[in-house]
């Protein structure tokens, strides 16, 4: 697809930055915490307000025509999560809501754009760090307009791996998650990390700060923008069973290369999660 989406991409960057400024400005009163799927799956008025600002700005710019929206908080209110061939915005207004509530400084606005079910571009604004990550299909990945590239490490024993434990606290899920982390740690790898936001974790893969991020339980809005950024930074994406990446499956491995991805996959104890769509 030619440059027809450049203006759309540039506008998305502007919207992401504005959304990030709103998050930074949010006062104590707005961080009134509610919960969604569990007592630890948090949402605040800021999540809802920022999603409305983003979708409102996109609708003002592109009209109510054929653009579709998949937003975390709209989905939480029961809107269907269906990716069609229509131009579709996939939005997490505040990725790292728990971090936001606690003042842990990794909070990202994640905006992706897909056409014909193909991701055209991704924008992630890590607003507490003031880092704007962006990538268009086939045109490279950038952080604050500087090109970024995944790590060239091929030896898992020289890697840092990043993952999250999600919000499901059922004993069977938690034990599978920590059993996986224990197996990876004891390979041994140099380190195991987690920023608390999938979008930021994928940007850390794209900059080469870590070699891989994997998680079972994330949603399409957490990873859609990061998928473009990792790919355009030279990385790979696949399912946790080694199959092809499936945006709606709620499970994913993103890595600097297939060697690292396949080595991680050997250790992942899988558990079922309902798809997004
Ligand atoms: C978060 C994800 C993270 C996951 C958390 C949570 P949110 O997204 O980015 O990877 O482990 O459970 O889902 O809810 O902060 O937008």
């Amino acid at each position: 697809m030619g440059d027809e989406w450049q203006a759309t991409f540039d506008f998305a960057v502007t919207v992401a930055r504005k959304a990030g400024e709103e998050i930074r400005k949010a006062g104590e009163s707005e961080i009134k915490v509610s919960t969604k799927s569990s007592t630890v799956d948090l949402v605040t008025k800021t999540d809802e307000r920022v999603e409305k600002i983003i979708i409102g700005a996109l609708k003002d710019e592109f009209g109510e025509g054929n653009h579709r929206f998949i937003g975390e908080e709209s989905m939480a209110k029961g809107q269907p999560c269906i990716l069609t061939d229509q131009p579709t915005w996939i939005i997490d207004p505040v990725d790292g809501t728990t971090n936001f509530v606690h003042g842990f400084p990794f909070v990202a606005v994640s905006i992706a754009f897909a056409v014909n079910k193909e991701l055209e571009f991704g924008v992630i604004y890590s607003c507490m760090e003031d880092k704007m990550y962006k990538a268009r299909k086939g045109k490279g990945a950038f952080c604050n307009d500087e090109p970024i590239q995944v790590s060239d490490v091929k030896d898992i024993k020289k890697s840092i791996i990043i993952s999250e434990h999600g919000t499901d606290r059922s004993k069977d899920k938690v034990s599978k998650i920590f059993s996986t982390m224990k197996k990876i740690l004891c390979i041994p790898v140099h380190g195991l990390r987690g920023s608390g936001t999938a979008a930021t974790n994928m940007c850390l893969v794209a900059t080469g700060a870590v070699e891989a991020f994997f998680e079972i339980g994330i949603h399409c809005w957490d990873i859609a923008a990061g998928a473009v950024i990792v790919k355009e930074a030279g990385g790979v994406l696949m399912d946790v069973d080694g199959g092809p990446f499936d945006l709606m499956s709620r499970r994913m491995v993103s890595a600097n290369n297939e060697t690292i991805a396949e080595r991680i996959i050997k250790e992942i104890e899988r558990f079922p999660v309902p798809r997004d769509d």
Side-chain angles (χ1 to χ4, degrees), residues 51 69-82 89 91 219-221 276:
E51 184 167 304
F69 298 88
I70 295 175
E72 176 174 8
E73 306 318 330
S74 320
M75 300 301 115
K77 292 192 165 67
Q79 276 194 21
C81 183
I82 302 164
W89 297 91
I91 300 162
H219 291 279
C220 61
W221 46 80
D276 274 325

Side-chain angles (χ1 to χ4, degrees), residues 36 41-42 72 92 94-98 164-167 196-199 201 213 215 218 222:
K36 295 188 289 190
D41 184 8
L42 310 185
E72 176 174 8
D92 188 341
V94 183
D95 191 42
T97 298
T98 302
E164 301 290 336
H165 46 64
T167 50
T197 125
N201 291 339
F213 163 60
E215 187 171 355
I218 24 96
D222 294 316

Side-chain angles (χ1 to χ4, degrees), residues 10-158:
D10 294 342
F11 187 76
V13 172
T14 309
V15 171
R17 188 177 299 282
K18 182 174 175 353
E21 286 159 8
E22 288 297 319
I23 293 168
R24 281 200 300 265
K25 272 186 337 196
E28 283 298 310
S29 60
E30 257 212 346
I31 306 189
K32 185 178 163 311
V33 182
S34 308
T35 57
K36 295 188 289 190
S37 62
S38 75
T39 58
V40 296
D41 184 8
L42 310 185
V43 60
T44 70
K45 286 196 180 322
T46 306
D47 295 75
E48 292 161 349
R49 185 170 66 82
V50 169
E51 184 167 304
K52 286 198 181 84
I53 290 172
I54 294 169
I55 293 178
L58 295 172
K59 284 184 173 173
D60 287 349
E61 182 73 9
F62 303 109
E64 299 272 346
N66 62 344
H67 283 222
R68 297 287 177 272
F69 298 88
I70 295 175
E72 176 174 8
E73 306 318 330
S74 320
M75 300 301 115
K77 292 192 165 67
Q79 276 194 21
C81 183
I82 302 164
L83 185 59
T84 68
D85 287 344
Q86 303 284 40
T88 303
W89 297 91
I90 306 168
I91 300 162
D92 188 341
V94 183
D95 191 42
T97 298
T98 302
N99 290 351
F100 173 61
V101 167
H102 287 266
F104 190 75
F106 295 102
V107 182
V109 179
S110 183
I111 300 175
F113 183 66
V115 180
N116 298 326
K117 299 192 181 77
E118 280 280 307
L119 289 167
E120 283 297 329
F121 62 71
V123 176
I124 295 174
Y125 183 44
S126 179
C127 58
M128 301 309 177
E129 301 177 279
D130 190 23
K131 287 184 176 177
M132 181 66 77
Y133 298 91
K134 62 184 184 181
R136 271 194 69 191
K137 187 169 72 172
K139 294 184 178 287
F142 302 86
C143 176
N144 291 349
D145 295 321
E146 292 297 321
I148 55 178
Q149 183 104 36
V150 295
S151 146
D152 59 6
V153 167
K154 286 193 167 47
D155 180 354
I156 189 80
K157 292 184 178 175
K158 296 197 171 84

